[in-house]
Amino acid sequence: MNDNTIRELIDAAIAVSKLAYAPYSDYHVGAALLSSDGHIFTGCNVENASYPATICAERTALVKAVSEGQRRFSAIVVVTRNGGFPCGICRQMLYEFAPDLRVIIANTKGEILDDMPLRELLAKGFGPASLEA
Ligand code: THU
């Protein structure tokens, strides 16, 4: 993946983080997910007065992509003000489709703070292969 693609993902994640609906936490998250065929799917967190109903930015991007027919992904950029990592539920959801996903953590200034495979973030993950005989 070249630097231009990474920059494009970061810019997309920053832009969508501004659309976050986060009146309760005031913690804005933007995600940009790159499908294996080169499309970018973005997502922000959408909170709810019933707090647990909140959906994270990463899962918003993932369900947008899957519902558009995409199931293979190569990278995700997650942007927050302070370089937060994907939560456990998002790691699990992403692992279903892309255990080898590259996860790039950036801040809203566009600085890359971390870059690692999902397999490292979700060690010994449970996925579709785990259900095989
Ligand atoms: N959040 C995400 O969007 N992604 C994560 O992986 C961690 C948390 C959101 C959920 C909630 O709206 C806010 O950040 C504070 O938890």
Side-chain angles (χ1 to χ4, degrees):
M1 190 179 317
N2 65 40
D3 288 353
N4 284 347
T5 305
I6 294 173
R7 190 45 56 191
E8 205 182 329
L9 288 166
I10 292 171
D11 289 346
I14 291 172
V16 74
S17 75
K18 294 177 183 157
L19 301 177
Y21 176 71
Y24 307 107
S25 71
D26 196 34
Y27 191 72
H28 291 220
V29 187
L33 180 63
L34 182 67
S35 63
S36 299
D37 67 358
H39 290 94
I40 295 175
F41 295 86
T42 58
C44 61
N45 50 331
V46 181
E47 297 186 345
N48 193 275
S50 174
Y51 298 172
T54 293
I55 185 166
C56 293
E58 299 90 324
R59 279 178 290 140
T60 303
L62 180 68
V63 297
K64 279 174 69 181
V66 173
S67 59
E68 298 285 330
Q70 299 284 348
R71 293 188 179 178
R72 297 180 60 231
F73 305 101
S74 51
I76 190 168
V77 168
V78 181
V79 160
T80 57
R81 59 179 175 242
N82 60 356
F85 279 82
C87 78
I89 299 171
C90 290
R91 293 178 199 200
Q92 181 67 33
M93 284 282 290
L94 291 165
Y95 191 86
E96 177 79 13
F97 296 95
D100 293 313
L101 192 72
R102 181 174 174 187
V103 180
I104 297 169
I105 306 297
N107 62 21
T108 39
K109 288 192 242 166
E111 297 163 335
I112 294 176
L113 304 175
D114 247 299
D115 185 345
M116 61 175 61
L118 179 60
R119 278 189 194 284
E120 226 172 90
L121 288 174
L122 191 69
K124 299 184 190 293
F126 189 92
S130 310
L131 294 173
E132 285 164 15

